[in-house]
Amino acid sequence: TLAACTTLPNEDASSDLAPAPEALTADDLIGTWDVALYFSVDSPPSATVMEIGSAGADGTLTGSFYASAFEVGRYTVREGAVVISVITSDGSGPYATSGRLVAPGQVEGQTLSTGRGFLMAWTATKR
């Protein structure tokens, strides 16, 4: 005899076992982040801090990156993804930084320095 099957052929049987992943929100960005900066594939990363003070309902962010205040800070949320884009600057010119909240407490991003002419990858972990 054949036993009854409780799942359809295209149904994921594990969906009943694992809870759905928690949706990420802009509030998950707020706090202090330890950032690993990857200047070169041949060198270990250097460290800095990113502070995100607030995430406004209008999509604005306040904070600082590499000890430079956000001149412009924006975020958006789409289908559970939270992405950010900020502009900071120093004596060499502006820095365009963007990132994506990939999991609670984890951001991956990149920074373009127009004055110094480099693109740098980075990762951040929330304290």
Side-chain angles (χ1 to χ4, degrees):
T1 63
L2 294 175
C5 179
T6 58
T7 56
L8 298 173
N10 291 331
E11 212 173 39
D12 181 7
S14 66
S15 64
D16 292 334
L17 303 176
E22 187 176 320
L24 299 171
T25 70
D27 287 340
D28 294 318
L29 295 169
I30 298 170
T32 301
W33 296 81
D34 293 312
V35 181
L37 304 166
Y38 300 94
F39 287 107
S40 166
V41 295
D42 301 326
S43 302
S46 63
T48 192
V49 173
M50 177 172 59
E51 296 278 349
I52 298 182
S54 67
D58 60 353
T60 58
L61 288 176
T62 63
S64 64
F65 188 83
Y66 212 88
S68 295
F70 297 169
E71 295 170 16
V72 177
R74 303 289 298 174
Y75 75 89
T76 189
V77 179
R78 176 147 170 88
E79 297 177 4
V82 181
V83 295
I84 67 169
S85 184
V86 303
I87 302 294
T88 59
S89 63
D90 66 9
S92 72
Y95 290 78
T97 296
S98 61
R100 183 174 184 270
L101 189 62
V102 295
Q106 295 181 319
V107 174
E108 293 179 354
Q110 56 279 325
T111 297
L112 173 66
S113 169
T114 59
R116 294 191 173 150
F118 67 78
L119 176 65
M120 173 184 51
W122 54 268
T123 59
T125 303
K126 194 173 186 181
R127 288 187 186 166

